[in-house]
Amino acid sequence: MSTTTRPTAESSARSTLEADRPMKRVGTTFSAAQLIEALPGTFRKLDPRQMFRTPVMFIVEMGAVLITAIAIAEPFLGGPVTSGGSEVPASFTWLIALWLWLTVLFANLAESVAEGRGKAQASSLRRARTGMTARVVREYVPAADPGALGSAITDMPSSDLDLGDIVVIEAGGLVPGDGEIIWGIASVDESAITGESAPVIRESGGDRSAVTGGTRVLSDRIVVRIMSRPGDTFLDRMIRLVEGAERQKTPNEVALNILLATLSIVFTVVVLAINPIGSSSNVAVSVPVLVALLVCLIPTTIGALLAAIGIAGMDRLVQHNVLAMSGRAVEAAGDVTTLLLDKTGTITYGNRRASEFISVDGADRNDLVTAALQSSLSDPTPEGKSIIDLAEIEGSVRADVAGTVVPFSAQTRMSGVDFPDGSSVRKGAGSAVRAWVAAGPGTATAELDDAVSRVSQLGGTPLVVAIRDAAGVARVLGVIHLKDVVKDGLPERFAELRSMGIRTVMITGDNPLTAKAIAAEAGVDDYLAEATPEDKMCLIRKEQAGGALVAMTGDGTNDAPALALADVGVAMNSGTSAAKEAGNMVDLDSDPTKLIDIVRIGKQLLITRGALTTFSIANDVAKYFAIVPAMFIGAFPGLAALNIMHLNSPSSAILSAVIFNALIIVALIPLSLRGVKYRAASASSLLNRNLLVYGLGGIVAPFIGIKAIDLALSLLPVF
């Protein structure tokens, strides 16, 4: 007998979820359009009050101001311009001033382009919340159907909503603010927030009751309690964060800025001491040359790109649909040494699936597969559907069952079918099916016990399948092995994390036997079985006490304490408000395995910063060989031995170094935005690679670049 089920709100909502998910947005370097949009911000950042926050570039700007003033005054001073005993072209000071200003502008451009990418996303987010109207229920009766509330509903602007207000949202309406569903179920389009077109199910009760302001209800009707105040919704905070309005420098960034400022002060003192020393030998160096030397001595390359690297790191997370509440969280992700991952939904698919049919007592395998299929055709659970799928893979054909369906119940712990000829089939817990077989009459043999024990030791759930013929004789056909299926590719990803020096720990409420089996199959380093919220917090404290930085994911209210305690707490967007408030990151796709990607992005941020710092310092070394000999070669011809690049003249050598110093910033902007490619490796091998590629590259590149610029300048009559 075929059976039908009455459509429910959930089934109608889920029917809208047939659209395929699009491909992820992929970050790119800046385009011409982004460059043009960034230009106003580039010039606004010339304000000394803003430049002062970047000490290195502030010194460059002050040098540009000074050299510009000298260039204006030079025609009124008269006489040829000399430096270090050598005459320099009349246009030399203006050219130095021009390239110093360009150096500052290129640095500002890098930061403006990085900020512009966030502002573009913020604009699309703003459009998601514009002009929303809320249908507010002033006196809500929890048991009431909102369709019958009638005049109790009033319309008001969403900006006037306050914490605790109750709103009704019909199909096609926008969610006016962050909240939790207290009645109903609906499919919700969250593409305005996540960038994904496939709708998701949101329903009252459980951990999928949270909705975000600006998303659209596609089906049914829901009642939502507003959980945010005006101007402080998740969408508002997201807009402020991606715009950079709340981006604060991370501890590592602050430390690096202090180091750069210290180096700048030291080199400023050194440069200021050169002229008195030179004057005593009648080889005084002009101020433009001294400023050029200072700019090339201090680490201007990393100073110019540091802010862009940090902004781009957060932007890469946004491109992966992860919102970091602070740059500190992104940076901490790069230093994580322990990952805590929930088993269900993270390591496994979340629903037990049929993986194997095990026949016993000489039963025909085809009979076992057919009986399992018949007893599962009316089973609406994921486990029942997986049995049907496995049976069809085995070659069994699905067909309507001509019999009376016996649904599963907590009392019988079995389900099956009674056929018109008096025969029956049952599927269920081992003890329940044994009792059914014994009443057959029939017997269960030791072979069944061995099969059940083997499945249990593997961490699976055994379902016993038995039949009773028309004569009333019952017998066991075999066992269905239900197991938590580990997601494809996870063992390889955990091996990759292990190569990074990251320890993985699976957290589960399962018994130790099941937890051990799943942990071994997934390839995690350790597991915590029968875990409670208190157990999670104890584990985090233990890891942190040992010097580890801990990251974990969660979506439920019971995860909130551990998320708040972890160094990197990634809350699922589909989770409760408590979880999202506790975490310092929110995954808009609600994909717990993305924690692995978050760690990679954090490490990429740190490696990019380290690589470009190495390049910048190495880059400065080569520039000394261009400028230092050029400063005094007129008075001390012996310094020509240090002119290993054989530059054309002292003035062209100095100007070439300054021009290269500016152009290398532009050349490295794409790399700072895209990030240095990260490969899983130990810290020592990454350091060696950085020194080889960016250290050696930082020394070689200026020799090639400065020589090429010098050759170009030598073609000009003045040089």
Side-chain angles (χ1 to χ4, degrees):
M1 179 180 69
S2 62
T3 60
T4 59
T5 56
R6 181 176 59 86
T8 62
E10 180 173 3
S11 63
S12 63
R14 294 188 189 277
S15 67
T16 65
L17 303 184
E18 297 175 356
D20 292 330
R21 283 183 176 269
M23 294 180 65
K24 288 284 185 189
R25 298 187 299 273
V26 179
T28 61
T29 56
F30 59 89
S31 63
Q34 289 175 318
L35 200 62
I36 294 172
E37 291 175 0
L39 286 177
T42 299
F43 286 96
R44 282 196 299 269
K45 290 179 182 295
L46 290 174
D47 184 341
R49 292 170 297 181
Q50 292 193 46
M51 294 298 299
F52 188 75
R53 294 178 297 180
T54 310
V56 174
M57 300 316 300
F58 179 73
I59 290 175
V60 178
E61 184 180 40
M62 293 299 99
V65 171
L66 176 61
I67 302 306
T68 302
I70 292 174
I72 294 172
E74 273 181 353
F76 303 101
L77 299 178
V81 180
T82 61
S83 179
S86 301
E87 186 174 339
V88 297
S91 59
F92 178 77
T93 305
W94 275 112
L95 289 172
I96 292 291
L98 171 65
W99 282 100
L100 290 182
W101 281 114
L102 288 176
T103 302
V104 177
L105 288 173
F106 291 157
N108 291 347
L109 178 66
E111 186 173 1
S112 293
V113 169
E115 290 177 348
R117 294 163 67 173
K119 289 177 180 178
Q121 181 156 355
S123 297
S124 65
L125 292 173
R126 276 198 183 89
R127 290 194 293 270
R129 68 173 186 182
T130 303
M132 283 190 285
T133 300
R135 306 189 66 207
V136 182
V137 183
R138 289 306 181 189
E139 296 182 2
Y140 176 66
V141 180
D145 180 344
L149 292 175
S151 60
I153 299 177
T154 58
D155 293 343
M156 64 183 296
S158 60
S159 57
D160 293 342
L161 289 175
D162 206 348
L163 188 69
D165 284 345
I166 306 294
V167 297
V168 176
I169 308 161
E170 309 277 350
L174 290 171
V175 178
D178 297 352
E180 290 189 351
I181 300 174
I182 58 176
W183 185 93
I185 176 173
S187 62
V188 180
D189 175 10
E190 297 185 342
S191 59
I193 307 297
T194 66
E196 301 285 354
S197 62
V200 295
I201 292 296
R202 294 287 179 258
E203 57 187 317
S204 60
D207 289 340
R208 300 189 70 83
S209 61
V211 288
T212 305
T215 58
R216 185 177 297 276
V217 174
L218 298 179
S219 69
D220 304 282
R221 178 194 294 116
I222 53 175
V223 179
V224 174
R225 176 180 288 111
I226 298 299
M227 305 297 291
S228 60
R229 298 187 184 280
D232 193 35
T233 66
F234 182 75
L235 190 57
D236 290 315
R237 282 180 282 147
M238 186 173 179
I239 290 171
R240 292 196 295 266
L241 286 164
V242 298
E243 280 188 321
E246 291 186 359
R247 196 190 87 83
Q248 298 179 347
K249 292 181 180 179
T250 64
N252 282 349
E253 196 173 345
V254 170
L256 187 53
N257 264 313
I258 293 173
L259 173 63
L260 297 181
T262 303
L263 289 175
S264 300
I265 293 171
V266 169
F267 286 128
T268 300
V269 173
V270 170
V271 170
L272 290 175
I274 288 177
N275 217 24
I277 294 173
S279 297
S280 64
S281 304
N282 296 318
V283 287
V285 181
S286 69
V287 173
V289 173
L290 287 174
V291 173
L293 173 64
L294 175 60
V295 170
C296 290
L297 279 174
I298 62 178
T300 51
T301 305
I302 186 61
L305 298 174
L306 190 57
I309 293 169
I311 295 171
M314 294 185 70
D315 184 58
R316 278 193 291 277
L317 276 180
V318 172
Q319 292 169 18
H320 281 72
N321 282 346
V322 177
L323 177 63
M325 299 305 178
S326 67
R328 181 191 295 268
V330 185
E331 205 167 75
D335 288 328
V336 160
T337 54
T338 302
L339 285 184
L340 306 184
L341 302 108
D342 185 51
K343 185 204 75 172
T344 304
T346 305
I347 293 176
T348 66
Y349 282 101
N351 295 314
R352 295 172 301 171
R353 297 186 178 188
S355 62
E356 183 183 9
F357 295 116
I358 306 170
S359 57
V360 299
D361 299 335
D364 185 88
R365 182 178 179 81
N366 290 332
D367 291 342
L368 170 61
V369 173
T370 300
L373 174 65
Q374 291 173 334
S375 61
S376 302
L377 284 173
S378 298
D379 186 347
T381 65
E383 292 86 353
K385 293 176 182 176
S386 73
I387 293 171
I388 295 173
D389 292 340
L390 183 61
E392 290 179 340
I393 292 173
E394 295 274 348
S396 187
V397 179
R398 185 190 311 213
D400 289 342
V401 178
T404 303
V405 173
V406 179
F408 176 86
S409 71
Q411 289 73 32
T412 64
R413 294 187 297 155
M414 295 185 300
S415 63
V417 181
D418 291 335
F419 298 100
D421 64 359
S423 61
S424 305
V425 60
R426 292 291 186 273
K427 170 199 72 182
S431 58
V433 175
R434 279 194 184 93
W436 184 79
V437 169
T443 58
T445 66
E447 189 176 349
L448 173 64
D449 295 336
D450 290 342
V452 169
S453 176
R454 186 166 67 252
V455 171
S456 298
Q457 288 175 358
L458 291 173
T461 300
L463 290 181
V464 178
V465 179
I467 60 171
R468 181 180 293 162
D469 60 25
V473 178
R475 66 189 181 98
V476 175
L477 296 179
V479 175
I480 304 171
H481 181 181
L482 292 181
K483 61 179 291 188
D484 279 342
V485 179
V486 174
K487 293 181 177 179
D488 296 336
L490 276 188
E492 291 77 13
R493 299 191 79 178
F494 290 144
E496 185 179 351
L497 287 170
R498 197 173 297 112
S499 69
M500 299 180 200
I502 297 174
R503 178 169 169 265
T504 53
V505 181
M506 182 186 78
I507 300 177
T508 177
D510 288 339
N511 62 72
L513 188 64
T514 300
K516 181 179 180 180
I518 297 294
E521 184 178 354
V524 296
D525 298 310
D526 202 354
Y527 64 90
L528 177 65
E530 298 177 341
T532 64
E534 292 76 14
D535 293 333
K536 296 176 187 178
M537 296 181 69
C538 287
L539 177 60
I540 292 173
R541 290 193 182 99
K542 180 181 177 182
E543 292 288 333
Q544 291 172 334
L549 262 72
V550 181
M552 76 162 288
T553 61
D555 59 0
T557 301
N558 63 331
D559 292 323
L563 286 171
L565 184 61
D567 299 287
V568 179
V570 184
M572 301 296 101
N573 189 41
S574 62
T576 61
S577 297
K580 288 193 280 189
E581 290 292 334
N584 50 24
M585 290 187 186
V586 177
D587 176 16
L588 303 178
D589 292 335
S590 301
D591 176 10
T593 59
K594 200 180 289 183
L595 183 57
I596 299 172
D597 295 320
I598 291 171
V599 170
R600 293 180 64 89
I601 291 171
K603 286 188 175 295
Q604 185 183 29
L605 169 65
L606 297 179
I607 288 173
T608 301
R609 187 183 293 158
L612 292 184
T613 300
T614 302
F615 183 91
S616 179
I617 294 174
N619 182 48
D620 293 337
V621 173
K623 287 181 287 188
Y624 305 157
F625 286 92
I627 289 188
V628 174
M631 290 174 62
F632 300 106
I633 198 169
F636 303 106
L639 288 176
L642 295 179
N643 187 18
I644 59 178
M645 285 186 274
H646 300 289
L647 301 178
N648 182 58
S649 67
S651 56
S652 70
I654 294 168
L655 185 58
S656 296
V658 173
I659 293 174
F660 176 83
N661 192 66
L663 294 181
I664 197 64
I665 294 172
V666 179
L668 291 175
I669 290 177
L671 182 61
S672 67
L673 297 180
R674 184 178 63 252
V676 174
K677 186 175 181 179
Y678 174 72
R679 295 181 179 88
S682 63
S684 59
S685 62
L686 288 174
L687 177 61
N688 292 335
R689 177 176 176 269
N690 268 358
L691 291 175
L692 178 63
V693 176
Y694 296 97
L696 184 60
I699 292 176
V700 173
F703 280 95
I704 298 173
I706 291 174
K707 180 62 177 179
I709 296 170
D710 180 73
L711 289 174
L713 290 176
S714 66
L715 300 177
L716 301 177
V718 294
F719 292 100

